[in-house]
């Protein structure tokens, strides 16, 4: 497999996983959220990623979520299942569930917390690839994995059989650009910023889009990439500026939350918009009233109407 094995492009957010107040997986709310995302013309979605609280989900719940999400492939969405895990065996179990459900592909970080070395990371991805037949996205997520995979390592991983894409969330932009040029033409490359610089790089034909978080601005996110496809730099930059408002109001440069937690912020923003995003699950906590107001104020500043929670 390589980049030509898939047609992934544009904005593919890692979406939230709805839980009810008792912490149970809420597939009815999930369906409502997916319908909204499809209506807002997302190019795709990632299920059970960091935004989707994979770390508190059981193996059976993740498989149920993959199966439930697969039916939106028929509505034009690329549906990718995150298979993040501490061991290759766990990741393979999740990847096989994604295959069984009929998802388009999987996304996989290095094992978090343990800080594996280069040889261990390569072995981890090769082991998962050898045990499955589903297209894979390598996810470089330094904040969550305490490992920032450098261009040499990502270049090596791009040659693994099932790898078709890289999502690079490094804070080192020089490394991001170096990797982009190293893997160009071999795998799809996600992570371009929604800034004037990101627009210019995309207009020059570099990168394939952004695997973002939550999709809380609706059509603004994918329309940035549609404007790029149409060669409309000015419109792309205007749309990207709206995304920057959210990032600067809620998050730190390393993607950590300025208040509360990232998942609760995203779910609160969606619920304020009337989208059934559910609630976070322990150990995460919902936002305080003041933090909810902070999210609402940002949406209002962007001209987005909200409703009482």
């Amino acid at each position: 497999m390589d980049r030509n094995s898939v047609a992934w492009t544009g904005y593919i957010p890692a979406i939230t996983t709805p839980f009810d107040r008792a912490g149970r997986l809420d597939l009815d709310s999930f369906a409502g959220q997916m319908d909204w995302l499809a209506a807002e013309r997302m190019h795709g979605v990632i299920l059970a990623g960091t935004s989707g609280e994979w770390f508190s989900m059981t193996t059976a719940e993740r498989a149920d979520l993959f199966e439930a999400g697969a039916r939106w492939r028929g509505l034009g969405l690329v549906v990718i299942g995150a298979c993040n895990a501490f061991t290759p065996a766990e990741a393979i179990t999740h990847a096989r569930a994604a295959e069984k459900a009929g998802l388009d592909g999987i996304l996989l970080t290095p094992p978090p917390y343990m800080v594996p070395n280069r040889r261990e990371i390569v072995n981890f991805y090769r082991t998962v690839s050898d045990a499955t037949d589903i297209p894979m996205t390598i996810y470089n997520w330094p904040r969550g994995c305490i490992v920032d995979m450098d261009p040499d390592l990502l270049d090596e991983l791009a040659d693994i059989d099932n790898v078709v894409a890289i999502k690079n969330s490094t804070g080192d932009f020089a490394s991001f650009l170096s990797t982009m040029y190293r893997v160009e033409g071999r795998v799809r490359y996600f992570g371009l910023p929604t800034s004037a610089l990101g627009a210019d790089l995309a207009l020059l034909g570099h990168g394939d889009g952004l695997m973002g978080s939550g999709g809380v601005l609706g059509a603004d996110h994918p329309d940035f990439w549609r404007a790029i496809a149409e060669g409309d730099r000015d419109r792309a930059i205007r749309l990207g500026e709206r995304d920057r408002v959210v990032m600067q109001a809620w998050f730190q440069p390393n993607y950590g939350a300025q208040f509360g937690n990232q998942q609760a912020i995203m779910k609160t923003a969606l619920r304020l918009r009337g989208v059934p995003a559910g609630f976070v699950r322990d150990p995460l906590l919902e936002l305080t009233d003041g933090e909810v107001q902070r999210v609402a104020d940002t949406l209002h500043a962007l001209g987005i109407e909200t409703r009482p929670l």
Side-chain angles (χ1 to χ4, degrees):
M1 296 185 194
D2 61 18
R3 63 171 288 111
N4 298 310
S5 303
V6 297
W8 306 346
T9 188
Y11 186 70
I12 305 176
I15 67 170
T16 64
T17 302
F19 303 109
D20 67 18
R21 286 288 195 184
R24 294 168 299 209
L25 181 62
D26 184 352
L27 292 179
D28 288 338
S29 291
F30 171 73
Q33 182 181 177
M34 288 290 287
D35 284 341
W36 182 80
L37 292 163
E40 292 294 313
R41 305 189 305 283
M42 300 294 162
H43 293 95
V45 296
I46 298 166
L47 308 178
T50 302
S51 298
E53 300 174 67
W54 69 268
F55 42 81
S56 66
M57 296 179 69
T58 66
T59 298
E61 285 175 330
R62 208 178 318 196
D64 288 345
L65 189 70
F66 290 171
E67 185 176 353
R71 71 183 181 90
W72 275 270
R73 293 184 65 227
L75 298 177
L77 287 178
V78 170
V79 183
I80 297 170
C83 297
N84 304 332
F86 291 101
T87 67
E90 291 175 295
I92 289 166
T93 295
H94 300 316
R96 287 176 175 166
E99 285 185 290
K100 182 180 179 181
L103 300 191
D104 293 285
I106 63 172
L107 176 141
L108 186 60
T109 68
Y113 180 78
M114 64 189 69
V115 196
N117 63 36
R118 179 192 185 96
R119 188 164 61 93
E120 290 162 344
I121 291 172
V122 173
N123 181 69
F124 175 77
Y125 282 109
R126 281 186 176 151
T127 300
V128 177
S129 175
D130 288 347
T132 62
D133 294 309
I134 191 168
M136 179 191 299
T137 299
I138 302 289
Y139 183 13
N140 185 32
W141 175 224
R143 175 176 168 78
C145 298
I146 328 175
V147 172
D148 194 352
M149 295 189 282
D150 62 34
D152 287 339
L153 177 52
L154 290 169
D155 188 14
E156 183 175 355
L157 295 176
D159 284 334
I160 292 176
D161 287 345
N162 289 349
V163 173
V164 299
I166 292 173
K167 175 184 179 182
N168 195 353
S169 295
T170 179
D172 183 342
F173 196 61
S175 178
F176 177 88
L177 290 176
S178 178
T179 303
M180 181 182 75
Y181 285 107
R182 293 274 288 275
V183 304
E184 215 158 44
R186 294 157 57 204
V187 298
R188 294 185 179 267
Y189 195 65
F190 292 87
L192 288 177
T194 54
S195 62
L197 175 57
D200 288 341
L201 287 169
L203 286 165
L204 287 170
H206 300 300
D208 293 272
L210 178 65
M211 290 181 174
S213 178
V216 298
L217 295 185
D220 286 352
H221 295 298
D223 283 357
F224 174 92
W225 302 100
R226 290 190 174 93
I228 293 294
E230 295 165 2
D232 192 340
R233 180 180 186 271
D234 291 342
R235 181 166 181 258
I237 290 173
R238 287 196 301 273
L239 289 165
E241 286 172 350
R242 292 173 63 78
D243 188 41
R244 303 321 300 167
V245 168
V246 166
M247 294 302 297
Q248 291 168 8
W250 300 344
F251 301 103
Q252 303 173 41
N254 69 351
Y255 306 114
Q258 293 185 27
F259 56 94
N261 60 77
Q262 181 259 2
Q263 294 82 359
I265 290 172
M266 293 298 178
K267 288 184 174 182
T268 297
L270 289 165
R271 295 201 318 270
L272 284 167
R273 298 202 65 175
V275 181
F279 304 91
V280 294
R281 175 185 269 180
D282 285 341
L284 300 182
L285 296 174
E286 292 296 323
L287 302 185
T288 65
D289 290 345
E291 291 166 344
V292 170
Q293 189 59 53
R294 185 167 174 177
V295 174
D297 288 345
T298 302
L299 296 177
H300 295 159
L302 291 168
I304 296 173
E305 294 184 1
T306 62
R307 61 186 68 184
L309 292 183

